[in-house]
Amino acid sequence: MPARGNVETLVTMQPIAVNTGSDDRDGMLVMANGMLVAVLVRLATPGHEQEGDWFVEVALGPLRGHLAPTFGNLDDATRWMRQRLRV
């Protein structure tokens, strides 16, 4: 039987609108093995240095407490989260 740390976490995303109080409304619910672990928001407010990048608006469970960078694409965000969700 493989060691538990060798099992890759299944990270899935579901688009959702997020009321951030700004133009940053395009969001993704992030689930790890079926449990909600984060909400990502695409930065769209004019003047953002990283306009178009993805930002961790909310981190839950094992992602809480990690200082997340902004991500140029969802693949980078998924990779970053998967590394921190390993058992």
Side-chain angles (χ1 to χ4, degrees), residues 2-81:
R4 192 171 184 158
N6 291 338
V7 177
E8 189 168 301
T9 302
L10 176 62
V11 176
T12 58
M13 297 189 188
Q14 177 182 336
I16 190 164
V18 180
N19 184 354
T20 63
S22 70
D23 290 337
D24 308 335
R25 294 187 184 123
D26 294 336
M28 289 284 177
L29 296 178
V30 183
M31 276 82 61
N33 296 332
M35 297 188 71
L36 183 64
V37 294
V39 177
L40 296 177
V41 174
R42 179 176 276 167
L43 301 174
T45 300
H48 272 309
E49 282 184 36
Q50 302 90 2
E51 187 175 349
D53 283 3
W54 291 90
F55 171 75
V56 179
E57 187 74 28
V58 177
L60 303 165
L63 294 180
R64 191 175 334 159
H66 288 281
L67 182 59
T70 58
F71 303 98
N73 58 61
L74 293 173
D75 288 338
D76 290 345
T78 300
R79 200 171 6 267
W80 182 89
M81 286 184 246

